Amino acid sequence: MLGFLLARQAGLDDPLRLRRAESTRRVLGLELNKDRDVERIHGSGVNTLDIEPVEARYMLSGGSDGVIVLYDLENSSRQPYYTCKAVCSVGRSHPDVHKYSVETVQWYPHDTGMFTSSSFDKTLKVWDTNTLQTADIFNFEETVYSHHMSPVATKHCLVAVGTRGPKVQLCDLKSGSCSHILQGHRQEILAVSWSPRCEYVLATASADSRVKLWDVRRASGCLITLDQHNGKKSQAVESANTAHNGKVNGLCFTSDGLHLLTVGTDNRMRLWNSSNGENTLVNYGKVNNDSRKGLKFTVSCGCSSEFVFVPYGSTIAVYTIYSGEQITMLKGHYKSVDCCVFHSNFQPTTKSQINPAFEDAWSSSDEEG
Amino acid sequence: MSRKRQRLVPDAFGLKRRRERGQAEADPLRGESVTRSLRPGSARAAVAELVQLFPRGLFEDALPPIALRSQVYSLVPDRTVADRQLKELQEQGEIRVIQLGFDLDAHGIIFTEDYRTRVLKACDGRPYAGAVQKFLALVLPACGDLSFQQDQMTQTFGFRDPEITQLVNAGVLTVRDAGSWWLAVPGAGRFIKYFVKGRQAVLGMVRKAKYRELLLSELLGRRAPATVRLGLTYHVHDLIGAQLVDCVSTTSGTLLRLPET
């Protein structure tokens, strides 16, 4: 470590190298943080978490009771023992609160003035953070399982919404209505995710075992349907291609957007090349997954070999992405874990559990507050 | 707990040399090595070793020796490497991967030569012999996949619908979806039945043990129950590779323990 610092000081090494080595060291040293805690507001399970991308200071959480809470993760007191306080919340008494469980929350990718939330009550609500009022509401015919807004989009403000129907809806925030529909899946869409590399590429995962990659500018259907057996691409009919042998629950692009990770109820996680849809055949072993709706997992960014954190029962399993090796299992929650997010500056991963609900901060053992 | 974490950490800085792991103690599973000439730990050596375990006499030599992908995982330590090597062998045409019907994840691995000879012998003198021979000559060398699509069969290879029906009757193709078929082994039904029953029986042996764990040497030394027709070693390789039991190394050898869930 000192060698790295001296090399950085003398200019022999790139500054990025020290940062990556330290990030990797912290991820490998992750354990439950005894000093940091998150205030407990939710009465029932926490379904989704999101940390804002600008400063990584504020965190949103959505619960099964429809409550949305905003936390400040910054430690401005001088004490090492610190509870992250909730800044504000959309509680059950709020006039615009969701009627049923909130499935996904996401900050507006460019600033913290706005966030979106979607719920089982068939709506997607756009909130103004400062006044905590809904700026817009999109209504759908079926329950909404997941939504995502592109983190790199500059030319469009589309939110992709996956519902219980087989069509993926794209809602435009500027105009306030659904701009178009992507058809191709046969059952409910459990997860959607935009590519962090190209602002028009969207990946959707469905209960019919298929994962499709779309270019939203193209009118005629999906780009690729991922095939786990890597069959010949010359086949004109792609209807038999399946990405998993069960429902596909979760999707996550790696931070450079070159690869896509998918998990399915066949207890497998697969890594795909996102440009040609090829299964890279990295084998992570059995990744237990019995969630009937989406599973939210996350990847690290900024480490020398990237890691993926997957909720596995009541623990979090950590794997290296490109070699498939299981590094460790993070034990600390009492009941099943639903989702986790990675905080890129401090390398804790906060996660949540189903019942009773609280969030934990995990950090490496010798991090100073 | 903290000692374990620090073992992972120095690798990030690349400072400490990892201490050389001592020779793994002789393992009854890995001890017998018929194929010392091939590189140990490669998928090809593993498949060759596993087909020796297959009981040919049980099926009167009508079935080619089938190994399972999960068995290969138990012999090759890194699963990703095993998958990639099997994919290479598949592309070179040395092995065929077959979808076994009972579990979408279980793939059977057969050497292409064995498959070809057995299928030809099985369809000898039957009305569908012509279609099967045409299939083996045209399609098998050209397409190494597990499944075939309708337009691929009709346009690329020139099969007509009655011929495809004959192939399904012969047992070479199994219906997967409207217009697509899995490659299959004729007569594999008996093998699958024995395999599923045997797997349950061996798992049951571990389950009934005290604390639901058994030393591997003790398990292999026990008398196999009547439902296990394929051999205890065959099933144990499959259970370890499919992660249906956890393998714990102890001072008395390898211990098989059922996972907690």
Side-chain angles (χ1 to χ4, degrees):
Chain A
M1 170 72 170
L2 288 178
F4 273 84
L5 281 172
L6 284 175
R8 160 85 174 87
Q9 207 174 17
L12 292 168
D13 254 356
D14 200 75
L16 193 57
R17 196 153 167 247
L18 171 65
R19 189 193 159 107
R20 289 173 81 87
E22 179 63 17
S23 300
T24 316
R25 189 188 71 85
R26 284 188 175 186
V27 170
L28 289 174
L30 268 183
E31 57 179 33
L32 194 58
N33 194 343
K34 295 178 275 289
D35 300 327
R36 230 153 173 231
D37 201 356
V38 179
E39 193 183 343
R40 203 166 137 172
I41 306 272
H42 285 282
S44 61
V46 180
N47 276 337
T48 172
L49 294 172
D50 191 33
I51 298 187
E52 48 116 357
V54 180
E55 271 184 327
R57 179 174 169 175
Y58 295 103
M59 181 170 77
L60 272 177
S61 71
S64 327
D65 45 5
V67 170
I68 303 175
V69 189
L70 214 160
Y71 299 94
D72 181 351
L73 297 176
E74 184 92 2
N75 183 1
S76 46
S77 75
R78 295 315 190 111
Q79 324 283 350
Y81 177 71
Y82 174 69
T83 304
C84 296
K85 289 263 174 286
V87 172
C88 56
S89 77
V90 175
R92 296 301 316 164
S93 53
H94 194 283
D96 290 323
V97 71
H98 280 288
K99 279 214 280 296
Y100 301 128
S101 143
V102 174
E103 285 304 308
T104 320
V105 285
Q106 192 196 359
W107 285 104
Y108 182 61
H110 306 295
D111 62 53
T112 55
M114 191 163 90
F115 62 89
T116 49
S117 68
S118 66
S119 140
F120 268 9
D121 64 357
K122 308 184 190 178
T123 60
L124 168 74
K125 294 193 177 166
V126 181
W127 301 82
D128 177 334
T129 322
N130 294 316
T131 59
L132 266 198
Q133 305 289 328
T134 43
D136 206 350
I137 302 181
F138 293 90
N139 288 306
F140 301 99
E141 286 132 20
E142 302 270 7
T143 56
V144 180
Y145 276 117
S146 146
H147 80 269
H148 196 237
M149 197 166 156
S150 174
V152 295
T154 48
K155 296 209 180 68
H156 69 86
C157 305
L158 292 175
V159 181
V161 180
T163 66
R164 216 162 122 231
K167 301 188 196 153
V168 183
Q169 318 245 15
L170 292 168
C171 301
D172 188 8
L173 288 182
K174 271 207 205 123
S175 63
S177 63
C178 292
S179 67
H180 55 289
I181 295 178
L182 301 174
Q183 289 208 10
H185 281 293
R186 294 185 198 160
Q187 287 180 29
E188 59 248 27
I189 315 279
L190 291 172
V192 294
S193 178
W194 291 89
S195 160
R197 200 169 176 88
C198 173
E199 54 177 331
Y200 292 110
V201 172
L202 173 70
T204 58
S206 159
D208 64 358
S209 330
R210 289 182 177 81
V211 175
K212 288 185 188 270
L213 286 171
W214 310 81
D215 183 332
V216 295
R217 298 167 291 185
R218 198 166 120 154
S220 61
C222 68
L223 289 174
I224 311 174
T225 307
L226 299 183
D227 181 15
Q228 55 174 311
H229 301 300
N230 278 346
K232 288 224 169 50
K233 290 293 174 293
S234 58
Q235 291 167 13
V237 176
E238 278 187 332
S239 64
N241 287 349
T242 55
H244 279 267
N245 292 324
K247 303 188 197 188
V248 189
N249 263 348
L251 273 184
C252 189
F253 275 95
T254 52
S255 42
D256 51 15
L258 292 174
H259 289 93
L260 173 66
L261 280 160
T262 59
V263 284
T265 51
D266 59 347
N267 297 336
R268 297 265 171 258
M269 181 158 71
R270 298 194 209 272
L271 181 72
W272 310 83
N273 186 330
S274 53
S275 49
N276 58 8
E278 188 195 318
N279 185 353
T280 56
L281 295 178
V282 179
N283 195 326
Y284 301 94
K286 188 166 168 194
V287 181
N288 243 354
N289 181 352
D290 37 9
S291 166
R292 289 214 305 266
K293 44 184 188 152
L295 189 74
K296 296 174 178 52
F297 60 101
T298 181
V299 296
S300 67
C301 56
C303 302
S304 60
S305 57
E306 301 290 351
F307 303 99
V308 56
F309 303 89
V310 187
Y312 189 125
S314 66
T315 62
I316 298 192
V318 185
Y319 300 91
T320 21
I321 295 186
Y322 301 111
S323 74
E325 200 191 315
Q326 185 179 57
I327 303 283
T328 179
M329 307 263 271
L330 302 174
K331 294 188 167 64
H333 274 299
Y334 301 121
K335 297 260 182 141
S336 53
V337 179
D338 251 359
C339 58
C340 42
V341 292
F342 187 77
H343 189 210
S344 49
N345 292 337
F346 294 117
Q347 285 81 42
T349 62
T350 17
K351 55 183 175 46
S352 70
Q353 65 178 94
I354 228 188
N355 190 14
F358 65 100
E359 283 119 49
D360 272 338
W362 294 70
S363 60
S364 57
S365 49
D366 51 7
E367 179 202 294
E368 64 292 326
Chain B
M1 179 78 164
S2 56
R3 218 180 304 140
K4 178 187 162 198
R5 297 260 179 262
Q6 273 150 32
R7 185 164 58 87
L8 294 172
V9 167
D11 295 343
F13 287 131
L15 289 174
K16 296 207 175 119
R17 246 181 323 127
R18 196 177 293 191
R19 203 170 292 142
E20 285 300 314
R21 276 235 303 266
Q23 198 69 11
E25 85 256 14
D27 202 350
L29 271 186
R30 285 160 221 210
E32 79 223 4
S33 181
V34 183
T35 53
R36 277 210 193 277
S37 52
L38 296 165
R39 238 181 332 126
S42 82
R44 198 186 194 295
V47 176
E49 199 175 316
L50 289 166
V51 298
Q52 304 291 328
L53 287 177
F54 184 83
R56 292 167 195 241
L58 190 60
F59 302 103
E60 292 102 31
D61 224 17
L63 272 190
I66 306 179
L68 272 88
R69 196 188 274 266
S70 45
Q71 293 173 332
V72 177
Y73 291 153
S74 79
L75 287 176
V76 179
D78 189 354
R79 290 164 163 252
T80 311
V81 166
D83 271 341
R84 293 205 170 128
Q85 285 177 351
L86 284 174
K87 184 81 187 170
E88 260 174 48
L89 289 174
Q90 204 182 345
E91 272 161 17
Q92 286 162 10
E94 270 191 63
I95 59 172
R96 296 302 306 196
V97 181
I98 308 281
Q99 177 82 281
L100 298 172
F102 63 91
D103 186 4
L104 281 170
D105 230 351
H107 294 155
I109 301 175
I110 310 181
F111 281 116
T112 319
E113 274 319 297
D114 288 335
Y115 180 72
R116 193 190 297 265
T117 43
R118 296 301 196 292
V119 169
L120 281 175
K121 209 170 73 166
C123 74
D124 215 9
R126 302 290 192 95
Y128 41 71
V132 172
Q133 277 158 12
K134 184 177 166 193
F135 179 80
L136 287 179
L138 278 184
V139 182
L140 270 200
C143 180
D145 295 339
L146 284 83
S147 68
F148 306 100
Q149 310 291 329
Q150 168 92 22
D151 51 351
Q152 195 185 11
M153 294 288 280
T154 47
Q155 281 153 26
T156 327
F157 298 115
F159 277 89
R160 281 165 292 123
D161 277 339
E163 286 181 328
I164 299 185
T165 319
Q166 281 186 334
L167 288 177
V168 175
N169 287 343
V172 175
L173 290 181
T174 309
V175 170
R176 172 186 179 180
D177 200 0
S180 69
W181 298 273
W182 296 115
L183 184 66
V185 182
R190 253 193 322 162
F191 165 75
I192 295 177
K193 188 173 72 169
Y194 292 155
F195 182 79
V196 171
K197 287 219 174 87
R199 197 194 232 192
Q200 292 307 319
V202 178
L203 259 186
M205 279 167 80
V206 182
R207 200 177 296 133
K208 288 198 196 96
K210 193 173 183 196
Y211 306 120
R212 292 151 74 93
E213 60 189 17
L214 262 190
L215 274 179
L216 181 61
S217 43
E218 196 190 318
L219 175 63
L220 292 177
R222 285 195 188 177
R223 205 167 58 91
T227 38
V228 175
R229 311 279 286 260
L230 299 171
L232 276 176
T233 343
Y234 194 84
H235 284 294
V236 166
H237 274 296
D238 165 60
L239 288 181
I240 296 178
Q243 290 179 308
L244 292 166
V245 289
D246 290 332
C247 237
V248 180
S249 57
T250 63
T251 46
S252 336
T254 323
L255 183 74
L256 300 178
R257 181 186 289 157
L258 281 182
E260 280 90 47
T261 44

